[in-house]
Amino acid sequence: MSSARPLTLALSKGRIFEETLPLLQAAGVQVTESPESSRKLILPTSDPGLRLIIVRATDVPTYVQYGAADLGIAGKDVLFEHAAQNPGGLYQPVDLDIARCKLCVAVREGFDYQAAVAQGSRLRVATKYVRATREHFARKGVYIDLIKLYGSMELAPLVGLADAIVDLVSTGGTLRANHLVPVEDIVDISSRLIVNQASLKTRADRLQPLIDAFAQASAA
Ligand code: ATP
Ligand code: MG
């Protein structure tokens, strides 16, 4: 009976959805509706045995961890922060090499970051990536006051909320538009396929071919 339930793949809309479509296509799966236009949160695919659910990027690991989705696609940034609260529980079999960017420290143009670090000044750092930021500055031996934000980090140095931000950067266009400059790379980011551990055991017959297809498509 349970084998009739379609596999559920959790995705966020935007770049991860867009960059996953070609991987699904390579696996022989078409998606005919877009979450942008349809507003549906459950999307069918051309494979009756596979459906998509559309959730916030930061919620993808939660849906997979609890088995509400059998698998999902999430950035390493999101996975690292999620793992801080939820150790274990998720298989991460494939780096899909999509949604690539870097986690960086950035400051306002004209702020001498290296001098501030060398002087041992306490830095105010605004970010939504709390764990990655704490670990980065702890490794450097730099004391920080961390200010947790949920978005629009670029604003913080411009209005005096913080000396620096830790954010994802791809082209740097958003930083430049706000007179910010990247001063330190923390880690390269891409998105991984994640799989619920129980699903992998009980539904391997359906899941493993899909995992293999994703691995092949992303390596191609
Ligand atoms: P929201 O925009 O809904 O607040 P979010 O910022 O987490 O949530 P997205 O902007 O869609 O969601 O980002 C999803 C994932 O894509 C991120 O977790 C990250 O791994 C990756 N990503 C974020 N920004 C970039 C970027 N500029 N270039 C490439 N990949 C990125
Ligand atoms: Mg975003």
PDB file of all heavy atoms in Angstrom, residues 12-16 19 56-58 74-78 99-101 128-129 150 168-171 189-191, ligand 1:
ATOM      1  N   SER A  12      12.914  24.567  -2.865  1.00  0.00           N
ATOM      2  CA  SER A  12      12.506  25.956  -2.693  1.00  0.00           C
ATOM      3  C   SER A  12      12.334  26.571  -4.075  1.00  0.00           C
ATOM      4  O   SER A  12      12.993  26.163  -5.029  1.00  0.00           O
ATOM      5  CB  SER A  12      13.542  26.726  -1.883  1.00  0.00           C
ATOM      6  OG  SER A  12      14.832  26.538  -2.414  1.00  0.00           O
ATOM      7  N   LYS A  13      11.440  27.557  -4.176  1.00  0.00           N
ATOM      8  CA  LYS A  13      11.282  28.193  -5.485  1.00  0.00           C
ATOM      9  C   LYS A  13      12.435  29.155  -5.716  1.00  0.00           C
ATOM     10  O   LYS A  13      13.250  29.375  -4.831  1.00  0.00           O
ATOM     11  CB  LYS A  13       9.922  28.858  -5.619  1.00  0.00           C
ATOM     12  CG  LYS A  13       9.626  29.957  -4.662  1.00  0.00           C
ATOM     13  CD  LYS A  13       8.203  30.463  -4.939  1.00  0.00           C
ATOM     14  CE  LYS A  13       7.813  31.515  -3.935  1.00  0.00           C
ATOM     15  NZ  LYS A  13       6.422  31.941  -4.121  1.00  0.00           N
ATOM     16  N   GLY A  14      12.525  29.684  -6.925  1.00  0.00           N
ATOM     17  CA  GLY A  14      13.670  30.531  -7.243  1.00  0.00           C
ATOM     18  C   GLY A  14      14.788  29.685  -7.824  1.00  0.00           C
ATOM     19  O   GLY A  14      14.537  28.732  -8.548  1.00  0.00           O
ATOM     20  N   ARG A  15      16.029  30.027  -7.476  1.00  0.00           N
ATOM     21  CA  ARG A  15      17.165  29.433  -8.182  1.00  0.00           C
ATOM     22  C   ARG A  15      17.256  27.923  -8.007  1.00  0.00           C
ATOM     23  O   ARG A  15      17.634  27.227  -8.946  1.00  0.00           O
ATOM     24  CB  ARG A  15      18.477  30.112  -7.778  1.00  0.00           C
ATOM     25  CG  ARG A  15      18.749  30.104  -6.303  1.00  0.00           C
ATOM     26  CD  ARG A  15      20.142  30.642  -6.022  1.00  0.00           C
ATOM     27  NE  ARG A  15      20.304  32.019  -6.463  1.00  0.00           N
ATOM     28  CZ  ARG A  15      19.992  33.078  -5.726  1.00  0.00           C
ATOM     29  NH1 ARG A  15      19.502  32.924  -4.515  1.00  0.00           N
ATOM     30  NH2 ARG A  15      20.186  34.289  -6.178  1.00  0.00           N
ATOM     31  N   ILE A  16      16.901  27.405  -6.841  1.00  0.00           N
ATOM     32  CA  ILE A  16      17.032  25.952  -6.675  1.00  0.00           C
ATOM     33  C   ILE A  16      16.019  25.217  -7.545  1.00  0.00           C
ATOM     34  O   ILE A  16      16.356  24.247  -8.229  1.00  0.00           O
ATOM     35  CB  ILE A  16      16.954  25.556  -5.183  1.00  0.00           C
ATOM     36  CG1 ILE A  16      18.244  26.032  -4.496  1.00  0.00           C
ATOM     37  CG2 ILE A  16      16.753  24.049  -5.023  1.00  0.00           C
ATOM     38  CD1 ILE A  16      18.468  25.549  -3.097  1.00  0.00           C
ATOM     39  N   GLU A  19      17.230  25.504 -11.208  1.00  0.00           N
ATOM     40  CA  GLU A  19      18.429  24.731 -11.528  1.00  0.00           C
ATOM     41  C   GLU A  19      18.222  23.236 -11.330  1.00  0.00           C
ATOM     42  O   GLU A  19      19.036  22.430 -11.772  1.00  0.00           O
ATOM     43  CB  GLU A  19      19.634  25.254 -10.723  1.00  0.00           C
ATOM     44  CG  GLU A  19      19.996  26.685 -11.119  1.00  0.00           C
ATOM     45  CD  GLU A  19      21.289  27.199 -10.475  1.00  0.00           C
ATOM     46  OE1 GLU A  19      22.215  26.399 -10.269  1.00  0.00           O
ATOM     47  OE2 GLU A  19      21.341  28.403 -10.174  1.00  0.00           O
ATOM     48  N   ARG A  56      10.036  26.986   1.934  1.00  0.00           N
ATOM     49  CA  ARG A  56      11.149  27.916   2.131  1.00  0.00           C
ATOM     50  C   ARG A  56      12.470  27.152   2.125  1.00  0.00           C
ATOM     51  O   ARG A  56      12.546  26.035   2.635  1.00  0.00           O
ATOM     52  CB  ARG A  56      11.030  28.593   3.496  1.00  0.00           C
ATOM     53  CG  ARG A  56      10.311  29.916   3.582  1.00  0.00           C
ATOM     54  CD  ARG A  56      10.779  30.977   2.635  1.00  0.00           C
ATOM     55  NE  ARG A  56      11.821  31.808   3.194  1.00  0.00           N
ATOM     56  CZ  ARG A  56      11.597  32.869   3.953  1.00  0.00           C
ATOM     57  NH1 ARG A  56      10.368  33.223   4.284  1.00  0.00           N
ATOM     58  NH2 ARG A  56      12.602  33.594   4.391  1.00  0.00           N
ATOM     59  N   ALA A  57      13.509  27.780   1.576  1.00  0.00           N
ATOM     60  CA  ALA A  57      14.819  27.121   1.475  1.00  0.00           C
ATOM     61  C   ALA A  57      15.270  26.569   2.826  1.00  0.00           C
ATOM     62  O   ALA A  57      15.771  25.446   2.915  1.00  0.00           O
ATOM     63  CB  ALA A  57      15.848  28.106   0.919  1.00  0.00           C
ATOM     64  N   THR A  58      15.060  27.355   3.875  1.00  0.00           N
ATOM     65  CA  THR A  58      15.528  26.930   5.204  1.00  0.00           C
ATOM     66  C   THR A  58      14.663  25.829   5.798  1.00  0.00           C
ATOM     67  O   THR A  58      15.051  25.209   6.790  1.00  0.00           O
ATOM     68  CB  THR A  58      15.545  28.123   6.182  1.00  0.00           C
ATOM     69  OG1 THR A  58      14.343  28.861   6.004  1.00  0.00           O
ATOM     70  CG2 THR A  58      16.730  29.026   5.913  1.00  0.00           C
ATOM     71  N   ALA A  74      18.959  21.261  -0.921  1.00  0.00           N
ATOM     72  CA  ALA A  74      19.225  22.410  -0.049  1.00  0.00           C
ATOM     73  C   ALA A  74      20.683  22.828  -0.151  1.00  0.00           C
ATOM     74  O   ALA A  74      21.578  21.998  -0.353  1.00  0.00           O
ATOM     75  CB  ALA A  74      18.887  22.060   1.397  1.00  0.00           C
ATOM     76  N   GLY A  75      20.924  24.122   0.021  1.00  0.00           N
ATOM     77  CA  GLY A  75      22.282  24.666   0.012  1.00  0.00           C
ATOM     78  C   GLY A  75      23.062  24.210   1.232  1.00  0.00           C
ATOM     79  O   GLY A  75      22.503  23.968   2.300  1.00  0.00           O
ATOM     80  N   LYS A  76      24.396  24.107   1.055  1.00  0.00           N
ATOM     81  CA  LYS A  76      25.247  23.721   2.188  1.00  0.00           C
ATOM     82  C   LYS A  76      25.145  24.737   3.323  1.00  0.00           C
ATOM     83  O   LYS A  76      25.322  24.386   4.481  1.00  0.00           O
ATOM     84  CB  LYS A  76      26.702  23.607   1.726  1.00  0.00           C
ATOM     85  CG  LYS A  76      26.954  22.415   0.832  1.00  0.00           C
ATOM     86  CD  LYS A  76      28.398  22.414   0.311  1.00  0.00           C
ATOM     87  CE  LYS A  76      28.553  21.373  -0.777  1.00  0.00           C
ATOM     88  NZ  LYS A  76      29.838  21.522  -1.494  1.00  0.00           N
ATOM     89  N   ASP A  77      24.892  25.990   2.970  1.00  0.00           N
ATOM     90  CA  ASP A  77      24.685  27.029   3.986  1.00  0.00           C
ATOM     91  C   ASP A  77      23.512  26.648   4.889  1.00  0.00           C
ATOM     92  O   ASP A  77      23.611  26.646   6.120  1.00  0.00           O
ATOM     93  CB  ASP A  77      24.434  28.396   3.317  1.00  0.00           C
ATOM     94  CG  ASP A  77      23.338  28.336   2.244  1.00  0.00           C
ATOM     95  OD1 ASP A  77      23.323  27.369   1.462  1.00  0.00           O
ATOM     96  OD2 ASP A  77      22.500  29.248   2.202  1.00  0.00           O
ATOM     97  N   VAL A  78      22.405  26.279   4.260  1.00  0.00           N
ATOM     98  CA  VAL A  78      21.193  25.898   4.994  1.00  0.00           C
ATOM     99  C   VAL A  78      21.436  24.602   5.792  1.00  0.00           C
ATOM    100  O   VAL A  78      21.038  24.492   6.949  1.00  0.00           O
ATOM    101  CB  VAL A  78      20.015  25.729   4.003  1.00  0.00           C
ATOM    102  CG1 VAL A  78      18.862  24.973   4.637  1.00  0.00           C
ATOM    103  CG2 VAL A  78      19.552  27.099   3.504  1.00  0.00           C
ATOM    104  N   ALA A  99      23.304  26.112  -7.826  1.00  0.00           N
ATOM    105  CA  ALA A  99      23.157  27.274  -6.927  1.00  0.00           C
ATOM    106  C   ALA A  99      24.483  27.570  -6.226  1.00  0.00           C
ATOM    107  O   ALA A  99      24.568  27.667  -5.010  1.00  0.00           O
ATOM    108  CB  ALA A  99      22.025  27.046  -5.918  1.00  0.00           C
ATOM    109  N   ARG A 100      25.525  27.709  -7.055  1.00  0.00           N
ATOM    110  CA  ARG A 100      26.872  27.907  -6.498  1.00  0.00           C
ATOM    111  C   ARG A 100      27.093  29.362  -6.110  1.00  0.00           C
ATOM    112  O   ARG A 100      26.717  30.284  -6.826  1.00  0.00           O
ATOM    113  CB  ARG A 100      27.928  27.494  -7.524  1.00  0.00           C
ATOM    114  CG  ARG A 100      27.909  25.999  -7.789  1.00  0.00           C
ATOM    115  CD  ARG A 100      28.910  25.624  -8.835  1.00  0.00           C
ATOM    116  NE  ARG A 100      30.242  26.043  -8.410  1.00  0.00           N
ATOM    117  CZ  ARG A 100      31.342  25.648  -9.031  1.00  0.00           C
ATOM    118  NH1 ARG A 100      31.270  24.894 -10.089  1.00  0.00           N
ATOM    119  NH2 ARG A 100      32.517  26.052  -8.601  1.00  0.00           N
ATOM    120  N   CYS A 101      27.712  29.547  -4.975  1.00  0.00           N
ATOM    121  CA  CYS A 101      28.056  30.878  -4.497  1.00  0.00           C
ATOM    122  C   CYS A 101      29.085  30.710  -3.388  1.00  0.00           C
ATOM    123  O   CYS A 101      29.572  29.602  -3.169  1.00  0.00           O
ATOM    124  CB  CYS A 101      26.811  31.605  -3.986  1.00  0.00           C
ATOM    125  SG  CYS A 101      25.860  30.672  -2.770  1.00  0.00           S
ATOM    126  N   LYS A 128      22.563  35.980   8.812  1.00  0.00           N
ATOM    127  CA  LYS A 128      21.598  34.945   9.145  1.00  0.00           C
ATOM    128  C   LYS A 128      22.291  33.596   9.345  1.00  0.00           C
ATOM    129  O   LYS A 128      21.661  32.639   9.759  1.00  0.00           O
ATOM    130  CB  LYS A 128      20.447  34.912   8.133  1.00  0.00           C
ATOM    131  CG  LYS A 128      20.604  34.206   6.857  1.00  0.00           C
ATOM    132  CD  LYS A 128      19.271  34.339   6.048  1.00  0.00           C
ATOM    133  CE  LYS A 128      19.358  33.676   4.701  1.00  0.00           C
ATOM    134  NZ  LYS A 128      18.209  33.946   3.828  1.00  0.00           N
ATOM    135  N   TYR A 129      23.604  33.549   9.051  1.00  0.00           N
ATOM    136  CA  TYR A 129      24.365  32.289   9.141  1.00  0.00           C
ATOM    137  C   TYR A 129      25.136  32.250  10.452  1.00  0.00           C
ATOM    138  O   TYR A 129      26.358  32.436  10.496  1.00  0.00           O
ATOM    139  CB  TYR A 129      25.271  32.147   7.922  1.00  0.00           C
ATOM    140  CG  TYR A 129      24.473  32.297   6.663  1.00  0.00           C
ATOM    141  CD1 TYR A 129      24.470  33.492   5.958  1.00  0.00           C
ATOM    142  CD2 TYR A 129      23.646  31.267   6.232  1.00  0.00           C
ATOM    143  CE1 TYR A 129      23.682  33.652   4.818  1.00  0.00           C
ATOM    144  CE2 TYR A 129      22.855  31.412   5.109  1.00  0.00           C
ATOM    145  CZ  TYR A 129      22.883  32.608   4.423  1.00  0.00           C
ATOM    146  OH  TYR A 129      22.089  32.766   3.309  1.00  0.00           O
ATOM    147  N   TYR A 150      17.412  38.154   9.372  1.00  0.00           N
ATOM    148  CA  TYR A 150      16.715  37.160   8.556  1.00  0.00           C
ATOM    149  C   TYR A 150      16.755  37.487   7.065  1.00  0.00           C
ATOM    150  O   TYR A 150      16.314  36.698   6.246  1.00  0.00           O
ATOM    151  CB  TYR A 150      15.270  36.993   9.051  1.00  0.00           C
ATOM    152  CG  TYR A 150      15.239  36.356  10.423  1.00  0.00           C
ATOM    153  CD1 TYR A 150      15.335  37.131  11.579  1.00  0.00           C
ATOM    154  CD2 TYR A 150      15.180  34.978  10.563  1.00  0.00           C
ATOM    155  CE1 TYR A 150      15.353  36.548  12.832  1.00  0.00           C
ATOM    156  CE2 TYR A 150      15.202  34.375  11.811  1.00  0.00           C
ATOM    157  CZ  TYR A 150      15.279  35.171  12.932  1.00  0.00           C
ATOM    158  OH  TYR A 150      15.318  34.582  14.171  1.00  0.00           O
ATOM    159  N   LEU A 168      25.930  35.349   1.446  1.00  0.00           N
ATOM    160  CA  LEU A 168      26.252  34.618   0.225  1.00  0.00           C
ATOM    161  C   LEU A 168      26.484  35.606  -0.902  1.00  0.00           C
ATOM    162  O   LEU A 168      25.740  36.564  -1.056  1.00  0.00           O
ATOM    163  CB  LEU A 168      25.099  33.684  -0.141  1.00  0.00           C
ATOM    164  CG  LEU A 168      24.805  32.603   0.886  1.00  0.00           C
ATOM    165  CD1 LEU A 168      23.553  31.836   0.500  1.00  0.00           C
ATOM    166  CD2 LEU A 168      25.987  31.665   1.041  1.00  0.00           C
ATOM    167  N   VAL A 169      27.525  35.345  -1.682  1.00  0.00           N
ATOM    168  CA  VAL A 169      27.875  36.221  -2.789  1.00  0.00           C
ATOM    169  C   VAL A 169      28.068  35.355  -4.027  1.00  0.00           C
ATOM    170  O   VAL A 169      28.732  34.312  -3.961  1.00  0.00           O
ATOM    171  CB  VAL A 169      29.197  36.968  -2.489  1.00  0.00           C
ATOM    172  CG1 VAL A 169      29.581  37.863  -3.664  1.00  0.00           C
ATOM    173  CG2 VAL A 169      29.068  37.790  -1.211  1.00  0.00           C
ATOM    174  N   SER A 170      27.458  35.771  -5.150  1.00  0.00           N
ATOM    175  CA  SER A 170      27.813  35.076  -6.401  1.00  0.00           C
ATOM    176  C   SER A 170      28.510  36.043  -7.342  1.00  0.00           C
ATOM    177  O   SER A 170      29.721  35.955  -7.541  1.00  0.00           O
ATOM    178  CB  SER A 170      26.615  34.383  -7.032  1.00  0.00           C
ATOM    179  OG  SER A 170      25.537  35.255  -7.163  1.00  0.00           O
ATOM    180  N   THR A 171      27.798  37.005  -7.902  1.00  0.00           N
ATOM    181  CA  THR A 171      28.471  37.952  -8.797  1.00  0.00           C
ATOM    182  C   THR A 171      29.047  39.148  -8.041  1.00  0.00           C
ATOM    183  O   THR A 171      29.908  39.846  -8.549  1.00  0.00           O
ATOM    184  CB  THR A 171      27.485  38.495  -9.846  1.00  0.00           C
ATOM    185  OG1 THR A 171      26.466  39.229  -9.155  1.00  0.00           O
ATOM    186  CG2 THR A 171      26.862  37.369 -10.634  1.00  0.00           C
ATOM    187  N   ILE A 189      29.882  27.368  -1.582  1.00  0.00           N
ATOM    188  CA  ILE A 189      28.537  26.804  -1.343  1.00  0.00           C
ATOM    189  C   ILE A 189      27.977  26.247  -2.655  1.00  0.00           C
ATOM    190  O   ILE A 189      28.118  26.859  -3.707  1.00  0.00           O
ATOM    191  CB  ILE A 189      27.585  27.913  -0.820  1.00  0.00           C
ATOM    192  CG1 ILE A 189      28.071  28.510   0.505  1.00  0.00           C
ATOM    193  CG2 ILE A 189      26.154  27.382  -0.713  1.00  0.00           C
ATOM    194  CD1 ILE A 189      27.982  27.611   1.695  1.00  0.00           C
ATOM    195  N   SER A 190      27.341  25.097  -2.546  1.00  0.00           N
ATOM    196  CA  SER A 190      26.509  24.565  -3.631  1.00  0.00           C
ATOM    197  C   SER A 190      25.385  23.801  -2.951  1.00  0.00           C
ATOM    198  O   SER A 190      25.343  23.741  -1.720  1.00  0.00           O
ATOM    199  CB  SER A 190      27.330  23.658  -4.550  1.00  0.00           C
ATOM    200  OG  SER A 190      27.934  22.639  -3.792  1.00  0.00           O
ATOM    201  N   SER A 191      24.480  23.244  -3.749  1.00  0.00           N
ATOM    202  CA  SER A 191      23.346  22.553  -3.131  1.00  0.00           C
ATOM    203  C   SER A 191      23.524  21.041  -3.200  1.00  0.00           C
ATOM    204  O   SER A 191      24.091  20.508  -4.153  1.00  0.00           O
ATOM    205  CB  SER A 191      22.032  22.946  -3.810  1.00  0.00           C
ATOM    206  OG  SER A 191      21.660  24.245  -3.408  1.00  0.00           O
TER     207      SER A 191
HETATM  208  P1  ATP B   1      14.416  33.715   0.950  1.00  0.00           P
HETATM  209  O1  ATP B   1      14.991  34.379  -0.283  1.00  0.00           O
HETATM  210  O2  ATP B   1      13.065  33.093   0.734  1.00  0.00           O
HETATM  211  O3  ATP B   1      14.544  34.537   2.182  1.00  0.00           O
HETATM  212  P2  ATP B   1      16.743  32.217   0.815  1.00  0.00           P
HETATM  213  O4  ATP B   1      17.507  33.462   0.587  1.00  0.00           O
HETATM  214  O5  ATP B   1      17.290  31.227   1.787  1.00  0.00           O
HETATM  215  O6  ATP B   1      15.273  32.452   1.258  1.00  0.00           O
HETATM  216  P3  ATP B   1      17.180  31.687  -1.973  1.00  0.00           P
HETATM  217  O7  ATP B   1      17.611  33.090  -2.157  1.00  0.00           O
HETATM  218  O8  ATP B   1      16.276  31.045  -2.971  1.00  0.00           O
HETATM  219  O9  ATP B   1      16.486  31.474  -0.576  1.00  0.00           O
HETATM  220  O10 ATP B   1      18.469  30.799  -1.818  1.00  0.00           O
HETATM  221  C1  ATP B   1      18.371  29.408  -1.771  1.00  0.00           C
HETATM  222  C2  ATP B   1      19.755  28.816  -1.755  1.00  0.00           C
HETATM  223  O11 ATP B   1      20.441  29.180  -2.959  1.00  0.00           O
HETATM  224  C3  ATP B   1      20.626  29.324  -0.615  1.00  0.00           C
HETATM  225  O12 ATP B   1      20.458  28.545   0.533  1.00  0.00           O
HETATM  226  C4  ATP B   1      22.018  29.179  -1.203  1.00  0.00           C
HETATM  227  O13 ATP B   1      22.513  27.862  -1.039  1.00  0.00           O
HETATM  228  C5  ATP B   1      21.788  29.465  -2.677  1.00  0.00           C
HETATM  229  N1  ATP B   1      22.047  30.879  -2.984  1.00  0.00           N
HETATM  230  C6  ATP B   1      21.686  31.963  -2.283  1.00  0.00           C
HETATM  231  N2  ATP B   1      22.119  33.101  -2.853  1.00  0.00           N
HETATM  232  C7  ATP B   1      22.760  32.726  -3.966  1.00  0.00           C
HETATM  233  C8  ATP B   1      23.408  33.428  -5.017  1.00  0.00           C
HETATM  234  N3  ATP B   1      23.515  34.755  -5.010  1.00  0.00           N
HETATM  235  N4  ATP B   1      23.918  32.719  -6.040  1.00  0.00           N
HETATM  236  C9  ATP B   1      23.820  31.387  -6.070  1.00  0.00           C
HETATM  237  N5  ATP B   1      23.229  30.661  -5.094  1.00  0.00           N
HETATM  238  C10 ATP B   1      22.717  31.307  -4.073  1.00  0.00           C
END
